Amino acid sequence: MEYEFLRDLAGGVTVSMSMGHEAAAHWFNEEVQGDLAVLDEVEAAVAAVKGSERQWQRVGHEYTLWLDEEEVIIRANQLSFTGDEMEEGMSYYDEESLCFCGVEDFLAVAAAYRAFLQGR
């Protein structure tokens, strides 16, 4: 998973990620927005589910993050089609709205994000 952090003129941080992981970048940009308490909450949840069959989720304004012992899933909240909402033969492009990654990879990005924010 490749990523890049950019600081804008106002001091805000924007995350961009490689194809297939765009939803994770959007999660950092929309749900974290520099609030390290959000990362603290997710890291505590990772520790809480480790060694168990439990799952944890954090529903945000735009994106929901699910995790278990091995995997993190980030999905746009708007990505919930039910039944026959789309015409037959049509498909929904969700590459930028859904992301799967390993817990260790996600924690590595979170640690790099934290370090970037703190100027390390």
Side-chain angles (χ1 to χ4, degrees):
M1 173 174 10
E2 295 178 24
Y3 55 88
E4 181 179 31
F5 307 122
L6 302 170
R7 195 173 296 276
D8 63 23
L9 295 174
V13 174
T14 301
V15 179
S16 62
M17 293 193 158
S18 56
M19 195 166 167
H21 296 103
E22 297 97 336
H26 296 313
W27 182 81
F28 279 97
N29 295 332
E30 299 293 326
E31 304 299 336
V32 179
Q33 297 181 349
D35 183 0
L36 297 180
V38 174
L39 296 182
D40 293 341
E41 181 183 353
V42 173
E43 290 164 350
V46 168
V49 301
K50 190 169 190 138
S52 73
E53 297 289 321
R54 292 181 307 187
Q55 296 179 338
W56 180 85
Q57 78 173 12
R58 183 179 198 283
V59 179
H61 182 353
E62 297 289 330
Y63 289 85
T64 297
L65 182 143
W66 285 274
L67 62 84
D68 61 18
E69 183 178 23
E70 298 175 0
E71 186 173 47
V72 173
I73 301 170
I74 298 172
R75 187 192 80 172
N77 294 341
Q78 295 293 328
L79 189 64
S80 54
F81 286 112
T82 56
D84 300 323
E85 292 180 35
M86 287 193 295
E87 293 181 28
E88 185 177 332
M90 299 295 287
S91 64
Y92 182 73
Y93 176 75
D94 65 0
E95 290 297 314
E96 293 183 9
S97 302
L98 183 64
C99 170
F100 299 87
C101 65
V103 169
E104 295 303 320
D105 289 339
F106 182 82
L107 291 177
V109 174
Y113 180 82
R114 182 185 299 274
F116 187 83
L117 281 178
Q118 295 173 338
R120 292 188 259 150

